[in-house]
Amino acid sequence: MTTTARGAASVSNVSKTATRTLQRVIQGLATSDGAGVKLRRTLGQGQGTRLDPFLMLDEFFSDNPGDYLAGFPAHPHRGFETVTYMLDGHMQHQDHLGNVGELTSGSVQWMTAGRGIVHSEMPQQADGRMRGFQLWINLPAREKMKPAGYRDIPPSDIPVAALAGGGTVKVIAGTAEADGRQVPGPIQGLTTEPLYLDVQLPPGARYRQPVDPGHNAFIYAYEGSLAIGADGRPLKERAAGVLSPGGQVEVVAGAQGARFLLLAARPLGEPVVQYGPFVMNTVEEIEQAIADFQAGRFTQSGA
Ligand code: FE2
């Protein structure tokens, strides 16, 4: 059980036109979760590798069914949101509220655990590639105990915009700018105002995206490499690059091109106390979460 408190970033001296630079690289760490699914974790390896309000980012990537077939049997969450984005493969989500969702290639599941959800995510394929991401986004204190919610977003609801310099941007949350056009994604209106983009660039292509100057932002490169900001610091495959404050993100794809996630959100500046799948503000709230789960209060009606 760990405690951290981070103040919200001061934005008074951050220019809207300042281009963000690569401040810190978090290398992916091989790990496993659920019933042994192999993962590569960047954010969330420990309390020092969170980026308020982002708690964790895992990439699962395997052509070997032995790495993923055991899936994620029933388990609880409280106090934050989980976002699963499938690039390749098929998993089925079930939860105690009665939701059943098919996570197929290109789809997103946005789950707000709120005061408690018990769910499972199980592979629906016996072979082939399973590849995707799970992101955890914190909820503000006043929303941690709101009722759980679940939304399936099929690929047809996720806009894909072509970029003038080559490549595409998929807009999962927030609003992208593609050649001066505003392209809103399906997820809008959350307190943390997340921007979640999946960008694909050909070799040498330049890409720019405005972001709120005071929001925390990072890039996860999952194929190829990038040079970030005016000083062109490199970010290689399977690493998360935490960006400095600023109103603009600017990158250039490396010689092999690049595929990456760009994530930004409003920091909460609240204490974080995490115990496995429970993320609250105080130790007492974590003890309450454990007691509530053990007493079956997550799955009772009205719970
Ligand atoms: Fe989960």
Side-chain angles (χ1 to χ4, degrees), residues 3-9 23-24 47-54 216 242 267-272:
T3 307
T4 59
R6 287 177 60 118
Q23 208 167 38
R24 178 185 183 193
Q47 59 176 301
T49 51
R50 298 185 190 122
L51 181 68
D52 185 12
F54 300 110
N216 282 334
V242 176
L268 295 170
E270 295 176 350
V272 175

Side-chain angles (χ1 to χ4, degrees), residues 201-224:
L201 298 179
R206 183 175 294 270
Y207 169 77
R208 289 189 187 87
Q209 168 66 41
V211 288
D212 188 299
H215 285 191
N216 282 334
F218 73 100
I219 287 174
Y220 181 74
Y222 64 91
E223 277 183 26

Side-chain angles (χ1 to χ4, degrees), residues 223-276:
E223 277 183 26
S225 63
L226 293 164
I228 296 177
D231 58 357
R233 280 190 65 191
L235 181 67
K236 291 186 178 155
E237 195 169 277
R238 302 260 158 84
V242 176
L243 307 181
S244 67
Q248 299 287 328
V249 172
E250 189 172 324
V251 306
V252 177
Q256 309 302 316
R259 296 183 73 182
F260 62 93
L261 307 180
L262 169 58
L263 290 145
R266 192 164 77 82
L268 295 170
E270 295 176 350
V272 175
V273 185
Q274 176 171 2
Y275 182 71

Side-chain angles (χ1 to χ4, degrees), residues 22-41:
L22 177 56
Q23 208 167 38
R24 178 185 183 193
V25 174
I26 303 169
Q27 299 294 344
L29 182 74
T31 183
S32 67
D33 211 338
V37 177
K38 291 194 176 156
L39 304 166
R40 194 163 286 268
R41 180 164 296 166

Side-chain angles (χ1 to χ4, degrees), residues 2-277:
T2 56
T3 307
T4 59
R6 287 177 60 118
S10 165
V11 298
S12 56
N13 57 355
V14 177
S15 162
K16 280 201 166 180
T17 56
T19 300
R20 292 180 179 240
T21 56
L22 177 56
Q23 208 167 38
R24 178 185 183 193
V25 174
I26 303 169
Q27 299 294 344
L29 182 74
T31 183
S32 67
D33 211 338
V37 177
K38 291 194 176 156
L39 304 166
R40 194 163 286 268
R41 180 164 296 166
T42 45
L43 267 64
Q45 294 168 14
Q47 59 176 301
T49 51
R50 298 185 190 122
L51 181 68
D52 185 12
F54 300 110
L55 299 163
M56 190 189 87
L57 178 69
D58 284 344
E59 179 185 5
F60 42 95
F61 175 85
S62 182
D63 295 318
N64 173 12
D67 288 345
Y68 59 74
L69 276 180
F72 300 88
H75 61 277
H77 296 282
R78 173 178 278 184
F80 60 103
E81 306 194 79
T82 71
V83 184
T84 308
Y85 172 32
M86 289 293 282
L87 287 177
D88 302 290
H90 184 186
M91 283 208 281
Q92 186 183 65
H93 159 98
Q94 290 193 42
D95 64 45
H96 82 273
L97 301 169
N99 296 305
V100 179
E102 303 297 334
L103 268 161
T104 54
S105 300
S107 66
V108 169
Q109 173 203 78
W110 200 286
M111 191 177 82
T112 304
R115 62 184 150 190
I117 197 161
V118 177
H119 79 144
S120 62
E121 293 149 306
M122 298 303 289
Q124 303 296 300
Q125 62 192 65
D127 54 26
R129 176 167 293 184
M130 176 77 79
R131 183 185 199 191
F133 306 96
Q134 187 165 93
L135 175 73
W136 289 10
I137 308 176
N138 207 358
L139 284 168
R142 66 179 178 282
E143 295 177 22
K144 283 185 176 291
M145 294 298 279
K146 72 180 185 181
Y150 170 80
R151 184 168 166 194
D152 256 328
I153 306 166
S156 56
D157 287 351
I158 301 173
V160 183
L163 300 164
T168 57
V169 55
K170 264 192 204 185
V171 191
I172 294 166
T175 300
E177 191 175 291
D179 308 320
R181 276 190 315 126
Q182 299 294 307
V183 183
I187 296 289
Q188 302 280 340
L190 302 178
T191 300
T192 49
E193 302 172 48
L195 177 71
Y196 190 157
L197 307 179
D198 177 13
V199 184
Q200 181 160 18
L201 298 179
R206 183 175 294 270
Y207 169 77
R208 289 189 187 87
Q209 168 66 41
V211 288
D212 188 299
H215 285 191
N216 282 334
F218 73 100
I219 287 174
Y220 181 74
Y222 64 91
E223 277 183 26
S225 63
L226 293 164
I228 296 177
D231 58 357
R233 280 190 65 191
L235 181 67
K236 291 186 178 155
E237 195 169 277
R238 302 260 158 84
V242 176
L243 307 181
S244 67
Q248 299 287 328
V249 172
E250 189 172 324
V251 306
V252 177
Q256 309 302 316
R259 296 183 73 182
F260 62 93
L261 307 180
L262 169 58
L263 290 145
R266 192 164 77 82
L268 295 170
E270 295 176 350
V272 175
V273 185
Q274 176 171 2
Y275 182 71

